[in-house]
Amino acid sequence: MKKITIIAIIALLFTGCTAKKELAMYSNTTVSAGFDTYISIKASAYSKEEFDTYFNSSIENFIYLNKLFDIYHTYDGINNLKSVNDNAGIQPLEVDPILIEMLSLAKEYYDLSNGEFDITLGPVLKIWHEYRTQGLLNMAEGKSGSTPSLEELQEAYKCVGWQYVEIDKTNNTVFLNNACASLDVGGIAKGFSTEYVAEKLEENNIAVGIVDAGGNNRTINSKLDNTPWRVGIQSPTGSADSIIAVTIDGSMSFVTSGDYQRYYLSEDGNTYHHIIDPSTLFPADYYNSVSIITDDSGIADALSTTLFTVDFETGNQIIDEFRKNNPDSTLEVIWIMTPEKKVDTQYIKEKNGYYIAYTSGLENKIIWE
């Protein structure tokens, strides 16, 4: 009897020591990983230590990609996008294949959008960056900024075009064959990087997670309890409150482009934000925001920028073209606009003084209250 009791105790101890750990959700956030924003990662793991390993690796990837896509600074040991721009008209540079992959994706969506999404717009965007930077400094002092002239922008536009970009995928080189050409990947870099990090987490068999890079959200599978993710769309007023929320199932990307960030007030009485319409060379003014839901975060970033700069009819033509070319991919869109810019569609509702239009697939996915 005593022998049986001892065996039972040992068996219980052994079972306790080898009990399988259960997955739990952990999260962390940093503002030191570049892209001028916060990076937040939430993922399942069997311990905090395991999650920390994934988080730290993800942040290292974001930091590296930020350096690679940076157009304002150079870094030791890296031929980044600024290096490419600085060598325009001089020589090709060997770069990380990741940069070539991102540039190739940008070219694909330049073609899809008939030139509306254009990272070769760098010379024009540089002018707007200078005016916006000064405008923000002036606003901090209670003053107004100024506005670039159309003539100044048109002169810079002479240096714009993919005919000035030579990509050699065999030798991993990029060359801008016009000395005044430059690339600006602000409309795709953060989304591309978010997708890259999420895919690395998936390669490490993360069961559930979400990568949030300043509002660029990429989910990994459904939640542990199998409920959908819920992502809010910021109010166009610029407040932290969400005007609506959207439910997302499984692995998906959610990206918003809006006019309520990085804007300044000019002495001409107009407010100028950072999303420039290649057709006018001035900030687009069709909507307050455009949100994209699709599989890949880089594509979502490019499409949110693109659809923000085109009218509703053109936007739907681009959506149709994407769906034709990608029949196995999801693409849903939300447009938010003021009443005077209301579009003609059956899928539209008024909320808090704004009109919110959406693609039909979101009919039962939007949370209005």
Side-chain angles (χ1 to χ4, degrees), residues 143-155:
K143 304 174 185 177
S144 298
S146 56
T147 308
S149 68
L150 179 59
E151 292 74 21
E152 182 180 7
L153 296 170
Q154 288 175 333
E155 185 64 26

mmCIF file with all atom_site columns, all heavy atoms in Angstrom, residues 143-155:
data_model
loop_
_atom_site.group_PDB
_atom_site.id
_atom_site.type_symbol
_atom_site.label_atom_id
_atom_site.label_alt_id
_atom_site.label_comp_id
_atom_site.label_asym_id
_atom_site.label_entity_id
_atom_site.label_seq_id
_atom_site.pdbx_PDB_ins_code
_atom_site.Cartn_x
_atom_site.Cartn_y
_atom_site.Cartn_z
_atom_site.occupancy
_atom_site.B_iso_or_equiv
_atom_site.pdbx_formal_charge
_atom_site.auth_seq_id
_atom_site.auth_comp_id
_atom_site.auth_asym_id
_atom_site.auth_atom_id
_atom_site.pdbx_PDB_model_num
ATOM 1  N N   . LYS A 1 143 ? 2.098  81.542 -36.451 1.00 0.00 ? 143 LYS A N   1
ATOM 2  C CA  . LYS A 1 143 ? 2.156  82.160 -37.765 1.00 0.00 ? 143 LYS A CA  1
ATOM 3  C C   . LYS A 1 143 ? 1.712  81.165 -38.838 1.00 0.00 ? 143 LYS A C   1
ATOM 4  O O   . LYS A 1 143 ? 1.599  79.974 -38.585 1.00 0.00 ? 143 LYS A O   1
ATOM 5  C CB  . LYS A 1 143 ? 3.588  82.625 -38.075 1.00 0.00 ? 143 LYS A CB  1
ATOM 6  C CG  . LYS A 1 143 ? 4.178  83.566 -37.037 1.00 0.00 ? 143 LYS A CG  1
ATOM 7  C CD  . LYS A 1 143 ? 5.646  83.850 -37.365 1.00 0.00 ? 143 LYS A CD  1
ATOM 8  C CE  . LYS A 1 143 ? 6.317  84.693 -36.287 1.00 0.00 ? 143 LYS A CE  1
ATOM 9  N NZ  . LYS A 1 143 ? 7.753  84.899 -36.570 1.00 0.00 ? 143 LYS A NZ  1
ATOM 10 N N   . SER A 1 144 ? 1.516  81.678 -40.043 1.00 0.00 ? 144 SER A N   1
ATOM 11 C CA  . SER A 1 144 ? 1.154  80.825 -41.168 1.00 0.00 ? 144 SER A CA  1
ATOM 12 C C   . SER A 1 144 ? 2.378  80.510 -42.018 1.00 0.00 ? 144 SER A C   1
ATOM 13 O O   . SER A 1 144 ? 3.374  81.229 -41.989 1.00 0.00 ? 144 SER A O   1
ATOM 14 C CB  . SER A 1 144 ? 0.100  81.522 -42.049 1.00 0.00 ? 144 SER A CB  1
ATOM 15 O OG  . SER A 1 144 ? -1.082 81.752 -41.313 1.00 0.00 ? 144 SER A OG  1
ATOM 16 N N   . GLY A 1 145 ? 2.268  79.426 -42.783 1.00 0.00 ? 145 GLY A N   1
ATOM 17 C CA  . GLY A 1 145 ? 3.329  79.073 -43.711 1.00 0.00 ? 145 GLY A CA  1
ATOM 18 C C   . GLY A 1 145 ? 3.052  79.670 -45.076 1.00 0.00 ? 145 GLY A C   1
ATOM 19 O O   . GLY A 1 145 ? 2.161  80.510 -45.238 1.00 0.00 ? 145 GLY A O   1
ATOM 20 N N   . SER A 1 146 ? 3.790  79.241 -46.065 1.00 0.00 ? 146 SER A N   1
ATOM 21 C CA  . SER A 1 146 ? 3.571  79.705 -47.430 1.00 0.00 ? 146 SER A CA  1
ATOM 22 C C   . SER A 1 146 ? 3.357  78.503 -48.347 1.00 0.00 ? 146 SER A C   1
ATOM 23 O O   . SER A 1 146 ? 3.538  77.353 -47.933 1.00 0.00 ? 146 SER A O   1
ATOM 24 C CB  . SER A 1 146 ? 4.753  80.558 -47.913 1.00 0.00 ? 146 SER A CB  1
ATOM 25 O OG  . SER A 1 146 ? 5.965  79.842 -47.801 1.00 0.00 ? 146 SER A OG  1
ATOM 26 N N   . THR A 1 147 ? 3.003  78.763 -49.593 1.00 0.00 ? 147 THR A N   1
ATOM 27 C CA  . THR A 1 147 ? 2.636  77.714 -50.541 1.00 0.00 ? 147 THR A CA  1
ATOM 28 C C   . THR A 1 147 ? 3.552  77.765 -51.758 1.00 0.00 ? 147 THR A C   1
ATOM 29 O O   . THR A 1 147 ? 3.796  78.842 -52.296 1.00 0.00 ? 147 THR A O   1
ATOM 30 C CB  . THR A 1 147 ? 1.181  77.911 -51.010 1.00 0.00 ? 147 THR A CB  1
ATOM 31 O OG1 . THR A 1 147 ? 0.335  78.035 -49.865 1.00 0.00 ? 147 THR A OG1 1
ATOM 32 C CG2 . THR A 1 147 ? 0.725  76.729 -51.851 1.00 0.00 ? 147 THR A CG2 1
ATOM 33 N N   . PRO A 1 148 ? 4.066  76.622 -52.199 1.00 0.00 ? 148 PRO A N   1
ATOM 34 C CA  . PRO A 1 148 ? 4.885  76.635 -53.419 1.00 0.00 ? 148 PRO A CA  1
ATOM 35 C C   . PRO A 1 148 ? 4.039  77.025 -54.622 1.00 0.00 ? 148 PRO A C   1
ATOM 36 O O   . PRO A 1 148 ? 2.843  76.740 -54.686 1.00 0.00 ? 148 PRO A O   1
ATOM 37 C CB  . PRO A 1 148 ? 5.380  75.190 -53.527 1.00 0.00 ? 148 PRO A CB  1
ATOM 38 C CG  . PRO A 1 148 ? 4.414  74.381 -52.731 1.00 0.00 ? 148 PRO A CG  1
ATOM 39 C CD  . PRO A 1 148 ? 3.949  75.267 -51.627 1.00 0.00 ? 148 PRO A CD  1
ATOM 40 N N   . SER A 1 149 ? 4.659  77.681 -55.580 1.00 0.00 ? 149 SER A N   1
ATOM 41 C CA  . SER A 1 149 ? 3.943  78.069 -56.795 1.00 0.00 ? 149 SER A CA  1
ATOM 42 C C   . SER A 1 149 ? 3.816  76.865 -57.717 1.00 0.00 ? 149 SER A C   1
ATOM 43 O O   . SER A 1 149 ? 4.619  75.929 -57.665 1.00 0.00 ? 149 SER A O   1
ATOM 44 C CB  . SER A 1 149 ? 4.685  79.187 -57.520 1.00 0.00 ? 149 SER A CB  1
ATOM 45 O OG  . SER A 1 149 ? 5.922  78.706 -58.036 1.00 0.00 ? 149 SER A OG  1
ATOM 46 N N   . LEU A 1 150 ? 2.807  76.903 -58.573 1.00 0.00 ? 150 LEU A N   1
ATOM 47 C CA  . LEU A 1 150 ? 2.621  75.828 -59.547 1.00 0.00 ? 150 LEU A CA  1
ATOM 48 C C   . LEU A 1 150 ? 3.834  75.747 -60.469 1.00 0.00 ? 150 LEU A C   1
ATOM 49 O O   . LEU A 1 150 ? 4.258  74.655 -60.847 1.00 0.00 ? 150 LEU A O   1
ATOM 50 C CB  . LEU A 1 150 ? 1.348  76.063 -60.355 1.00 0.00 ? 150 LEU A CB  1
ATOM 51 C CG  . LEU A 1 150 ? 1.037  75.028 -61.437 1.00 0.00 ? 150 LEU A CG  1
ATOM 52 C CD1 . LEU A 1 150 ? 0.899  73.630 -60.827 1.00 0.00 ? 150 LEU A CD1 1
ATOM 53 C CD2 . LEU A 1 150 ? -0.232 75.406 -62.198 1.00 0.00 ? 150 LEU A CD2 1
ATOM 54 N N   . GLU A 1 151 ? 4.408  76.902 -60.824 1.00 0.00 ? 151 GLU A N   1
ATOM 55 C CA  . GLU A 1 151 ? 5.570  76.931 -61.703 1.00 0.00 ? 151 GLU A CA  1
ATOM 56 C C   . GLU A 1 151 ? 6.756  76.206 -61.069 1.00 0.00 ? 151 GLU A C   1
ATOM 57 O O   . GLU A 1 151 ? 7.472  75.451 -61.745 1.00 0.00 ? 151 GLU A O   1
ATOM 58 C CB  . GLU A 1 151 ? 5.958  78.376 -62.028 1.00 0.00 ? 151 GLU A CB  1
ATOM 59 C CG  . GLU A 1 151 ? 4.962  79.123 -62.891 1.00 0.00 ? 151 GLU A CG  1
ATOM 60 C CD  . GLU A 1 151 ? 3.701  79.530 -62.128 1.00 0.00 ? 151 GLU A CD  1
ATOM 61 O OE1 . GLU A 1 151 ? 3.755  79.600 -60.872 1.00 0.00 ? 151 GLU A OE1 1
ATOM 62 O OE2 . GLU A 1 151 ? 2.666  79.773 -62.778 1.00 0.00 ? 151 GLU A OE2 1
ATOM 63 N N   . GLU A 1 152 ? 6.961  76.403 -59.770 1.00 0.00 ? 152 GLU A N   1
ATOM 64 C CA  . GLU A 1 152 ? 8.045  75.733 -59.064 1.00 0.00 ? 152 GLU A CA  1
ATOM 65 C C   . GLU A 1 152 ? 7.845  74.225 -59.061 1.00 0.00 ? 152 GLU A C   1
ATOM 66 O O   . GLU A 1 152 ? 8.784  73.450 -59.291 1.00 0.00 ? 152 GLU A O   1
ATOM 67 C CB  . GLU A 1 152 ? 8.124  76.260 -57.629 1.00 0.00 ? 152 GLU A CB  1
ATOM 68 C CG  . GLU A 1 152 ? 9.246  75.675 -56.794 1.00 0.00 ? 152 GLU A CG  1
ATOM 69 C CD  . GLU A 1 152 ? 9.289  76.230 -55.380 1.00 0.00 ? 152 GLU A CD  1
ATOM 70 O OE1 . GLU A 1 152 ? 8.355  76.977 -54.986 1.00 0.00 ? 152 GLU A OE1 1
ATOM 71 O OE2 . GLU A 1 152 ? 10.261 75.906 -54.660 1.00 0.00 ? 152 GLU A OE2 1
ATOM 72 N N   . LEU A 1 153 ? 6.612  73.804 -58.846 1.00 0.00 ? 153 LEU A N   1
ATOM 73 C CA  . LEU A 1 153 ? 6.297  72.379 -58.810 1.00 0.00 ? 153 LEU A CA  1
ATOM 74 C C   . LEU A 1 153 ? 6.413  71.760 -60.206 1.00 0.00 ? 153 LEU A C   1
ATOM 75 O O   . LEU A 1 153 ? 6.909  70.637 -60.356 1.00 0.00 ? 153 LEU A O   1
ATOM 76 C CB  . LEU A 1 153 ? 4.889  72.175 -58.247 1.00 0.00 ? 153 LEU A CB  1
ATOM 77 C CG  . LEU A 1 153 ? 4.688  72.618 -56.790 1.00 0.00 ? 153 LEU A CG  1
ATOM 78 C CD1 . LEU A 1 153 ? 3.214  72.594 -56.424 1.00 0.00 ? 153 LEU A CD1 1
ATOM 79 C CD2 . LEU A 1 153 ? 5.482  71.736 -55.844 1.00 0.00 ? 153 LEU A CD2 1
ATOM 80 N N   . GLN A 1 154 ? 5.955  72.477 -61.216 1.00 0.00 ? 154 GLN A N   1
ATOM 81 C CA  . GLN A 1 154 ? 6.037  71.956 -62.583 1.00 0.00 ? 154 GLN A CA  1
ATOM 82 C C   . GLN A 1 154 ? 7.484  71.819 -63.044 1.00 0.00 ? 154 GLN A C   1
ATOM 83 O O   . GLN A 1 154 ? 7.819  70.890 -63.780 1.00 0.00 ? 154 GLN A O   1
ATOM 84 C CB  . GLN A 1 154 ? 5.257  72.868 -63.527 1.00 0.00 ? 154 GLN A CB  1
ATOM 85 C CG  . GLN A 1 154 ? 3.752  72.759 -63.369 1.00 0.00 ? 154 GLN A CG  1
ATOM 86 C CD  . GLN A 1 154 ? 2.987  73.754 -64.221 1.00 0.00 ? 154 GLN A CD  1
ATOM 87 O OE1 . GLN A 1 154 ? 3.499  74.831 -64.555 1.00 0.00 ? 154 GLN A OE1 1
ATOM 88 N NE2 . GLN A 1 154 ? 1.756  73.405 -64.579 1.00 0.00 ? 154 GLN A NE2 1
ATOM 89 N N   . GLU A 1 155 ? 8.338  72.719 -62.602 1.00 0.00 ? 155 GLU A N   1
ATOM 90 C CA  . GLU A 1 155 ? 9.756  72.621 -62.949 1.00 0.00 ? 155 GLU A CA  1
ATOM 91 C C   . GLU A 1 155 ? 10.351 71.362 -62.328 1.00 0.00 ? 155 GLU A C   1
ATOM 92 O O   . GLU A 1 155 ? 11.117 70.636 -62.984 1.00 0.00 ? 155 GLU A O   1
ATOM 93 C CB  . GLU A 1 155 ? 10.498 73.861 -62.450 1.00 0.00 ? 155 GLU A CB  1
ATOM 94 C CG  . GLU A 1 155 ? 11.962 73.927 -62.849 1.00 0.00 ? 155 GLU A CG  1
ATOM 95 C CD  . GLU A 1 155 ? 12.183 74.034 -64.342 1.00 0.00 ? 155 GLU A CD  1
ATOM 96 O OE1 . GLU A 1 155 ? 11.284 74.535 -65.064 1.00 0.00 ? 155 GLU A OE1 1
ATOM 97 O OE2 . GLU A 1 155 ? 13.263 73.605 -64.812 1.00 0.00 ? 155 GLU A OE2 1
#
